[in-house]
Amino acid sequence: METLRLYLDKDRENSIKKAAKILKNGGIVAIPTETVYGLAANACDDNAIKAVFTAKGRPQDNPLIVHIDSMEMLGKVAKDIPESAYKCAEKFWPGPFTMVLKASDYVSKSVSAGLSTVAVRMPSDEIARAVISECTLPLAAPSANASGSPSPVTSEHVIKDLDGKIDAVIMGERCSVGVESTVVAIEEDNARLLRPGAVTAEMLKEIFPELIVDKAILSQPDSDEKVASPGMKYKHYAPSCELFLVEGESEKYCDFVNTKKDGAAICFKEEAELIKAQTFVFANQSDEKAMAFELFEMLRKLDEKGIKKAYVHAPSKNGVGLAVYNRLIRACAFRVVSV
Ligand code: TXA
Ligand code: MG
């Protein structure tokens, strides 16, 4: 199929209307959001959902996030919503935040991939919201990349992975956050963090002082282990380049990289001058937000430049750093070196 490019600078209203029309007719369209680009489909249309799984090559047991634009829509897609979920909605919506709640019968069963729960997010991105509103439908949207590759933060990334496999792509701007939303399973009075994002563990603890941080966030689940978030068990965010996550102080990291005969260094700004190998500069060491913004672009750049091996200096796990660390450790296939 030919993938239609829908431009916003020329005819924004018309592009949004076209996207909505395709979605209402059961098509699949990549849309920008504040986190990463999403591959959207009508969450109530079983065939459209199947098309999303096929286009991405996504494992059938990995459920999708449903995107809404109002609290009224939340009431349709989820049921028995606890009070704490409303508190979260008030604090973190619209924004990069997803709640796993009990599913109603409203959305297609295949969205939840066999679970009794549904993941719901109200994005803040204007274009994403305009498309949902124009459709008046909840939209299921996983990240718009080929399954396993780094998530797309520009329309070019989407085209690279999915051109010819989806109906259309909205040619929006680069995503402002750069990593996917925080995913939280709400359990009565408490919550379990399943995937870290720009809504940080520290922010969540203001509502859930006893917040549980799922162990799959920082470690590799055993192959037979039942994980709370199915997405965590798959190979993820991985460029072709072989990556190693290096933990330790700056000086030790630079020494380590300098003893290696091959491989590039993905380092902090402050370190670039001290390293002999080819460097890819991430961000200032203390700027976790900037790291999140650069992360996936950086991982894609390694392949574009034909880099075969690289050593990444591990970020702190504070704030959004936890999200960056979580994506990196997977991109590195859990190869961690301490120096
Ligand atoms: O920021 C985002 O969330 C982006 C944009 C497009 O909104 N979407 C996104 O979707 O990252 P995806 O499919 O790449 O990641 C969804 C994650 C997966 O790890 C999946 O396992 C988890 O959410 N998930 C979805 N439904 C779930 C459920 N019912 N229970 C537990 N985890 C769920
Ligand atoms: Mg994804």
Side-chain angles (χ1 to χ4, degrees):
M1 79 175 67
E2 194 189 334
T3 300
L4 195 66
R5 271 74 162 156
L6 298 171
Y7 292 92
L8 294 171
D9 43 353
K10 293 173 204 153
D11 196 354
R12 183 182 159 120
E13 285 311 301
N14 203 23
S15 286
I16 287 165
K17 285 212 167 85
K18 259 193 201 149
K21 192 168 172 205
I22 295 169
L23 288 163
K24 279 186 172 173
N25 288 333
I28 56 177
V29 180
I31 62 170
T33 84
E34 69 276 24
T35 55
V36 301
Y37 273 71
L39 178 56
N42 175 357
C44 307
D45 180 338
D46 220 39
N47 287 325
I49 301 303
K50 286 194 180 115
V52 166
F53 278 91
T54 306
K56 278 182 62 85
R58 184 179 178 98
Q60 291 293 333
D61 66 345
N62 193 5
L64 310 181
I65 294 173
V66 174
H67 296 66
I68 58 170
D69 71 341
S70 67
M71 291 306 282
E72 194 195 328
M73 235 185 227
L74 175 68
K76 284 187 184 163
V77 304
K79 65 178 183 191
D80 306 337
I81 301 169
E83 197 45 45
S84 57
Y86 289 105
K87 264 195 208 164
C88 288
E90 190 158 311
K91 219 169 158 140
F92 306 127
W93 276 356
F97 180 73
T98 298
M99 287 191 271
V100 175
L101 298 164
K102 268 190 204 152
S104 71
D105 293 328
Y106 190 74
V107 299
S108 156
K109 287 264 173 294
S110 42
V111 166
S112 297
L115 300 174
S116 57
T117 50
V118 63
V120 193
R121 170 159 114 82
M122 190 189 289
S124 61
D125 182 84
E126 261 183 57
I127 304 300
R129 292 175 69 85
V131 175
I132 304 169
S133 304
E134 186 69 33
C135 293
T136 59
L137 285 169
L139 297 178
S143 48
N145 52 321
S147 194
S149 78
S151 297
V153 295
T154 66
S155 53
E156 287 74 29
H157 295 165
V158 176
I159 287 168
K160 186 120 203 276
D161 281 16
L162 300 176
D163 199 17
K165 296 181 174 164
I166 61 178
D167 294 290
V169 51
I170 296 185
M171 306 295 286
E173 287 176 6
R174 178 160 171 184
C175 304
S176 58
V177 174
V179 292
E180 305 89 337
S181 62
T182 304
V183 179
V184 165
I186 309 280
E187 305 166 344
E188 297 293 328
D189 293 335
N190 202 4
R192 176 184 289 268
L193 178 61
L194 300 179
R195 181 176 72 182
V199 168
T200 63
E202 292 87 339
M203 288 154 80
L204 284 163
K205 280 185 183 157
E206 287 174 23
I207 296 182
F208 305 106
E210 308 292 322
L211 179 78
I212 301 163
V213 176
D214 201 271
K215 74 177 193 333
I217 286 179
L218 293 176
S219 65
Q220 182 171 30
D222 293 334
S223 55
D224 56 350
E225 200 175 328
K226 196 173 175 294
V227 287
S229 181
M232 282 297 165
K233 64 183 185 207
Y234 293 108
K235 185 180 159 221
H236 248 129
Y237 319 115
S240 314
C241 170
E242 190 184 19
L243 288 176
F244 295 83
L245 193 62
V246 184
E247 298 226 53
E249 290 162 14
S250 257
E251 214 180 290
K252 294 206 169 124
Y253 166 76
C254 295
D255 285 348
F256 171 81
V257 176
N258 285 337
T259 61
K260 296 282 164 195
K261 290 198 176 57
D262 59 345
I266 300 179
C267 63
F268 300 118
K269 236 175 222 162
E270 301 87 333
E271 298 162 342
E273 283 194 347
L274 307 170
I275 293 171
K276 285 181 258 168
Q278 181 175 6
T279 55
F280 290 81
V281 173
F282 214 171
N284 287 322
Q285 188 156 17
S286 58
D287 194 348
E288 284 93 9
K289 271 193 186 161
M291 285 175 219
F293 184 77
E294 292 298 337
L295 179 68
F296 290 131
E297 175 85 40
M298 167 86 78
L299 294 181
R300 282 178 182 258
K301 216 188 279 167
L302 296 172
D303 285 346
E304 277 162 33
K305 303 258 185 224
I307 305 292
K308 297 278 177 283
K309 199 187 253 190
Y311 303 95
V312 192
H313 194 180
S316 88
K317 299 181 189 109
N318 301 327
V320 193
L322 186 65
V324 179
Y325 194 103
N326 166 265
R327 307 315 189 263
L328 275 174
I329 200 169
R330 284 174 165 72
C332 294
F334 298 94
R335 285 181 291 260
V336 182
V337 185
S338 292
V339 291

